[in-house]
């Protein structure tokens, strides 16, 4: 057909139920148990059938049922209570406005390739998206002025099912966005708001959709527009699908298109947070606009743009970073870099690509780091690993000085906590735990929860998981066309009273999904023990192109078919938010055994912890900060091995030992009332220590204090007076770069002795050749610290030296001192750094001269 006329038909809700639509179209309901129960009350079975999607439920439920509840006083009372609670939430002043009333003009745009808000909006694949979704929810709770920018994937990420051999198969359904909790953004004449951007020689039209997330809006870009070329309609078809060229096209739409969308929407964002490198092209677009609109040079525009840009890296391995061949970058940006006043070599260099080596890739993380004012890893350990990864960008400074910070991830507790545990906290901690979950004193009240009440609550949660898992397995077998007798046997898998271990994550080889299966005989003995059995529930997807990951899944499925253990080990297909929520709420132990230090953070263990689930994990990611022998177990202490087979053998043995000698005995050690008191006491200690720390309200408030507000202040300063400071920095950097070869440390003198006592002060003098530069262009430092076993400085710091005079033309004299506060071998060296009071950090130019 040449012309298709469309009609958007919405449900005819009785007037008394109109507020149901407003509640359904704001994702706040996903962390309001009362709202979820309201929709369940309409029809519990149908609620499950529509995948917990309230918009679809309201559009498909019978008119008769709607009329029935419209005359049900109890239902209307529930609706009124839920609506009033949301209205009160929406009107709250919130942490940000209370803490920073004078910073109302700060506006953050948070860019991410995926957002995991709920299973009814399946535009996420895993941890990165779920973290992004929790970031938005926490920003809403804190009332931080923030909007999200992402892509609307027509077919999302793949849905998983296993064939008869246990081999993963992928299915990509096409989603109906008109029956999901989002709305297309339209003009006053009801036409879609749209813009066009050039992508590979064609103009691509982009529509914008809005998702309300409490007090925060998420805007999703959509190229599946009828007037677009068929290839361009595919840009927003699948998440992480297609080849490298498709990824470049997606990231152009996300980064550059996202800036266009903000302008069209009239959102004057001044902080741009790149959640991973997928959106880093936004920095180039911002530079281009400053050059065009404000007539700045590239270096001036770069400084002005960089001041307001924040980058978070999520991967500790190079393979996890998007890198593109130079041919692709040239194809898609050869008409772009002239607008920046750059040539091919200069442009490729922004992404760390060597223009003289065709095989040298353009790295999106390098681009983001180069153009951000603040870069962070997602745990303390990950920041250390990241500094090692990116040390090559600052080869002349110490590892500890690489400007990559640490903001440890968290989880949005109210989205992941079970209703049972939430009600328990309401009773014993008070309702303020939801409003201020960072309050350490508040979490000390968990000690007042009776051991019996906490244990019985956890038993109910486990029972709900077992019921869910049985039903899930039955549906899997039905889809696979198994016999009726096989399907019926699913009713007796797992046991309500057995120690339950959960393992769910992406099946990448470094996550070692089969580590627990390394010694089959030992595992069989564990799960089949007649007195103290163990059962294991597993879920997770392998990337469609990850054959080793798929093989791990098949091996587990084959192993679990053994008749003597088939009731004790189950694999739940199609891991998504719903499966994850049941698992983290219902397990007794959460197992996580990545190969250290390859786990950046690992938030699933945090989600389990807030539900009272104890963690057993390798010493990696967040667990390297959260672990305490009083609250959980660690498999090793983060040792690194050259031989991964040796490592796997050692750590699998450790895991079995922990299970056999510690976890199993502790769980089954019961009092006369069949309560595991010591286990429950460990739960209380764990809740008290982890809940106020590993949550997204702490995380987002930390981003606000350490990244957003300082970047906003600096960005505002650089933009003032027609970017006069940005222009000054540009001129200064050009001067410093041109004359840096003239800088040297001409001489160093000190009163150091062969031996010193603790408390001594060592005085140091230095003669510095500055050539054409002035003293105000540099900072001369004593770089001092303790000498480690490798004869390198550890825990070192730079101490500024004072200018005391001039020896002769170009030679300046500096003095300083260091205080020896600890015993041992100490060392120091004199260095010179470029200095400007408004530069992004002391190492932004990458220039440094050391004492020869």
């Amino acid at each position: 057909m040449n012309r298709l006329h469309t009609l958007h038909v919405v449900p005819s809700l009785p007037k008394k139920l109109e507020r149901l639509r407003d509640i359904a179209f704001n994702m706040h309901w996903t962390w309001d148990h009362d709202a979820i129960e309201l929709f369940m009350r309409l029809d519990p079975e149908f609620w499950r059938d529509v995948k917990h999607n309230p918009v679809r439920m309201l559009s498909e439920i019978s008119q008769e049922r709607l009329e029935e509840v419209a005359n049900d006083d109890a239902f209307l009372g529930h609706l009124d209570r839920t609506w009033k609670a949301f209205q009160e939430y929406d009107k709250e002043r919130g942490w940000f406005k209370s803490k920073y009333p004078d910073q109302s003009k700060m506006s953050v745009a948070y860019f991410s390739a995926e957002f995991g808000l709920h299973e009814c909006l399946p535009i996420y694949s895993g941890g990165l998206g779920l973290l992004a979704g929790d970031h938005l929810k926490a920003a809403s709770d804190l009332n931080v002025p923030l909007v999200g920018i992402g892509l609307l994937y027509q077919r999302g990420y793949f849905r998983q099912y296993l064939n008869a051999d246990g081999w993963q198969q992928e299915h990509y359904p096409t989603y109906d966005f008109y029956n999901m909790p989002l709305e297309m953004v339209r003009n006053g004449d009801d036409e879609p708001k749209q813009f066009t951007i050039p992508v590979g020689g064609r103009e691509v039209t982009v529509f914008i959709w809005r998702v309300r997330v409490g007090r925060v809006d998420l805007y999703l870009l959509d190229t599946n527009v009828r007037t677009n070329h068929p290839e361009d309609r595919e840009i927003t078809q699948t998440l992480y699908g297609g080849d490298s060229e498709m990824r470049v096209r997606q990231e152009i739409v996300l980064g550059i298109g996202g800036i266009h969308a903000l302008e069209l929407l009239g959102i004057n964002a001044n902080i741009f947070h790149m959640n991973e490198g997928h959106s880093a092209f936004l920095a180039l677009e911002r530079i281009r606009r400053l050059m065009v609109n404000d007539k700045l040079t590239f270096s001036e525009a770069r400084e002005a743009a960089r001041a307001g840009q924040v980058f978070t890296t999520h991967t500790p391995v190079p393979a996890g970073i998007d890198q593109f061949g130079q041919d692709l970058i040239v194809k898609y940006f050869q008409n772009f870099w002239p607008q920046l006043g750059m040539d091919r070599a200069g442009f490729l260099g922004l992404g760390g690509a060597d223009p003289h080596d065709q095989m040298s890739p353009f790295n999106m993380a390098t681009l983001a780091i180069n153009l951000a004012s603040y870069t962070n890893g997602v745990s303390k350990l990950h920041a250390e690993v990241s500094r090692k990864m990116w040390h090559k960008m600052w080869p002349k400074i110490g590892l500890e000085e690489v400007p990559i910070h640490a903001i440890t991830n968290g989880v949005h507790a109210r989205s992941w906590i079970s209703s049972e545990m939430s009600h328990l906290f309401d009773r014993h901690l008070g309702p303020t735990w939801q409003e201020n979950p960072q309050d350490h004193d508040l979490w000390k009240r968990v000690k007042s929860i009776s051991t019996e009440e906490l244990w019985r609550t956890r038993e109910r949660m486990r029972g709900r998981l077992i019921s869910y898992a049985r039903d899930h397995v039955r549906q899997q077998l039905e889809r696979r066309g198994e016999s009726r007798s096989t399907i019926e046997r699913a009713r007796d898998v797992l046991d309500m009273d057995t120690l339950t271990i959960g393992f769910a994550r992406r099946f990448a080889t470094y996550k070692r999904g089969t580590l627990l299966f390394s010694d089959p005989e030992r595992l069989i003995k564990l799960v089949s023990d007649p007195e103290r059995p163990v059962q294991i529930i597993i879920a997770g997807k392998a990337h469609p192109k990850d054959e080793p990951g798929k093989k791990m899944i098949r091996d587990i499925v084959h192993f679990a078919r053994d008749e003597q253990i088939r009731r004790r080990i189950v694999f739940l297909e199609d891991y998504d938010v719903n499966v994850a929520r049941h698992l983290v709420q219902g397990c007794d132990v959460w197992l996580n055994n990545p190969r250290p230090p390859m786990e950046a953070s690992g938030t699933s263990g945090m989600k389990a912890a807030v539900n009272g689930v104890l963690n057993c994990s390798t010493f990696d990611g967040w667990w390297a900060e959260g672990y305490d022998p009083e609250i959980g177990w660690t498999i090793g202490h983060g040792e690194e091995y050259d031989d991964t087979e040796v490592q796997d053998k050692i750590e699998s043995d450790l895991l079995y030992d922990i299970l056999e000698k510690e976890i199993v005995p502790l769980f089954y050690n019961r009092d006369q009332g069949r309560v595991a008191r010591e286990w429950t006491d460990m739960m209380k200690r764990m809740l008290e220590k982890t809940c106020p720390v590993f949550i997204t309200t702490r995380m987002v408030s930390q981003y606000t204090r350490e990244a957003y507000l300082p970047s906003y202040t600096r960005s505002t300063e650089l933009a003032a007076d027609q970017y006069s400071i940005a222009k000054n920095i540009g001129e200064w950097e050009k001067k410093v770069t041109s004359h840096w070869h003239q800088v040297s440390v001409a001489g160093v003198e000190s009163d150091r002795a062969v031996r010193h006592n603790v408390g001594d002060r060592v005085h140091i003098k230095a003669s510095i050749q500055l050539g054409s530069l002035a003293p105000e262009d540099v900072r001369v430092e004593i770089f001092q610290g303790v000498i480690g076993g490798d004869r390198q400085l550890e825990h070192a710091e730079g101490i500024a030296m004072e200018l005391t005079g001039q020896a002769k033309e170009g030679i300046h004299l500096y003095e300083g001192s260091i205080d020896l506060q600890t015993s041992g071998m100490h060392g120091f060296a004199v260095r010179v750094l470029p200095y400007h009071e408004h530069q992004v950090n002391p190492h932004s130019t990458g220039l440094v001269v050391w004492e020869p």
Side-chain angles (χ1 to χ4, degrees), residues 406-426:
I407 296 183
T408 301
N409 280 345
V411 297
H412 188 253
R414 292 165 67 182
S415 293
W416 295 101
I417 195 169
S418 70
S419 58
E420 296 94 337
M421 193 65 79
S422 179
H423 294 325
L424 184 71
F425 289 163
D426 286 346

Side-chain angles (χ1 to χ4, degrees), residues 150-164:
L151 299 180
L152 184 60
Y153 303 100
Q154 187 75 51
R155 302 177 71 187
Y157 196 55
F158 74 90
R159 308 309 298 258
Q160 177 200 56
Y161 66 98
L162 305 184
N163 65 19

Side-chain angles (χ1 to χ4, degrees), residues 93-105 709:
R93 184 168 176 79
W95 169 82
F96 181 84
K97 289 186 176 180
S98 299
K99 185 79 172 176
Y100 304 104
D102 57 341
Q103 302 290 347
S104 60
K105 293 184 179 180
L709 284 171

Side-chain angles (χ1 to χ4, degrees), residues 27 133 140 174 329 345 358 403 467 523 528 608:
M27 299 296 282
S140 172
T174 299
I329 297 299
Q358 190 62 29
S467 297
L523 180 58
S528 59

Side-chain angles (χ1 to χ4, degrees), residues 698-751:
R698 185 274 309 154
M699 180 191 79
V700 173
S701 63
Q702 189 177 352
Y703 272 113
T704 302
R705 291 191 307 270
E706 298 180 14
Y708 297 162
L709 284 171
S711 296
Y712 170 63
T713 299
R714 186 168 182 276
S715 178
T716 303
E717 288 175 349
L718 265 62
D721 192 21
Q722 297 181 322
Y723 295 94
S724 62
I725 293 177
K727 293 174 181 177
N728 182 266
I729 294 175
E731 293 170 358
W732 166 82
E733 185 170 316
K734 183 178 179 180
K735 177 180 68 172
V736 166
T737 303
S738 299
H739 299 289
W740 193 250
H741 65 280
Q742 300 173 357
V743 178
S744 65
V745 180
V748 175
E749 299 176 5
S750 73
D751 58 2

Side-chain angles (χ1 to χ4, degrees), residues 303-588:
E303 288 303 316
R306 178 160 57 181
Q309 285 156 192
V310 173
F311 172 55
T312 299
T313 173
H314 287 263
T315 178
V317 292
I321 298 168
D322 271 356
Q323 300 185 87
F324 300 119
Q326 294 184 20
D327 56 337
L328 278 178
I329 297 299
V330 170
K331 177 178 179 179
Y332 284 92
F333 287 92
Q334 59 186 335
N335 294 324
F336 188 95
W337 66 60
Q339 299 176 65
L340 304 182
M342 303 185 77
D343 58 14
R344 174 181 176 275
F347 188 86
L348 291 173
L350 291 173
D354 181 353
H356 304 295
D357 179 4
Q358 190 62 29
M359 301 305 294
S360 175
F362 187 94
N363 187 302
M364 294 297 287
T366 301
L367 177 66
I369 293 170
N370 271 327
L371 298 178
S373 64
Y374 183 94
T375 297
N376 71 281
V378 291
S379 70
K380 292 178 181 177
L381 179 58
H382 178 232
E384 292 178 16
V385 173
S386 296
R387 284 190 283 269
K388 292 177 183 177
M389 276 181 64
W390 302 108
H391 193 195
K392 60 188 177 184
M393 294 181 66
W394 297 273
K396 296 182 179 180
I397 66 174
L399 183 63
E400 294 176 350
E401 291 188 291
V402 172
I404 297 179
H405 310 273
I407 296 183
T408 301
N409 280 345
V411 297
H412 188 253
R414 292 165 67 182
S415 293
W416 295 101
I417 195 169
S418 70
S419 58
E420 296 94 337
M421 193 65 79
S422 179
H423 294 325
L424 184 71
F425 289 163
D426 286 346
R427 288 194 299 275
H428 293 277
L429 278 62
T432 55
W433 80 266
Q434 299 191 40
E435 300 161 12
N436 187 21
Q438 299 167 249
D439 187 342
H440 286 258
D441 290 336
L442 182 149
W443 286 98
K444 291 178 181 177
R445 299 178 193 172
V446 297
K447 296 172 185 174
S448 68
I449 302 174
S450 77
T451 299
E452 292 81 1
E453 187 178 10
L454 179 55
W455 176 253
R456 299 305 176 204
T457 299
R458 288 290 313 142
E459 284 192 313
R460 289 194 299 274
M461 293 163 68
R462 185 193 317 117
R464 188 157 51 81
L465 168 62
I466 301 309
S467 297
Y468 170 80
R470 287 172 176 172
D471 189 53
H472 198 97
V473 171
R474 180 183 57 78
Q475 292 179 47
Q476 292 174 187
L477 296 173
E478 287 177 349
R479 284 195 301 267
R480 207 177 296 157
E482 297 286 356
S483 66
R484 177 52 51 188
S485 61
T486 300
I487 294 171
E488 287 299 315
R489 290 171 66 187
R491 298 179 185 277
D492 70 350
V493 299
L494 307 174
D495 181 82
M496 294 289 183
D497 300 314
T498 294
L499 170 62
T500 304
I501 297 174
F503 181 93
R505 54 200 17 89
R506 181 165 54 92
F507 268 77
T509 51
Y510 79 88
K511 292 179 181 285
R512 299 190 295 185
T514 53
L515 189 70
L516 185 56
F517 298 81
S518 301
D519 189 334
E521 291 184 10
R522 208 166 171 184
L523 180 58
I524 290 172
K525 186 177 179 181
L526 266 171
V527 301
S528 59
D529 187 303
E531 301 296 326
R532 303 187 307 182
V534 174
Q535 59 193 12
I536 307 162
I537 304 177
I538 303 165
K541 298 177 178 179
H543 188 278
K545 296 178 181 178
D546 185 357
E547 296 300 312
K550 291 182 178 182
K551 184 179 182 300
M552 284 195 291
I553 293 174
R554 188 189 64 176
D555 289 347
I556 290 172
V557 171
H558 280 211
F559 182 84
R561 287 174 178 171
D562 188 313
E563 188 60 32
Q564 62 181 323
I565 61 170
R566 68 164 189 84
R567 293 184 61 248
R568 301 295 189 200
I569 303 175
V570 299
F571 185 92
L572 303 184
E573 296 176 15
D574 202 25
Y575 182 44
D576 67 356
V577 168
N578 188 38
V579 175
R581 192 165 48 240
H582 279 88
L583 283 169
V584 299
Q585 291 176 1
C587 291
D588 298 299

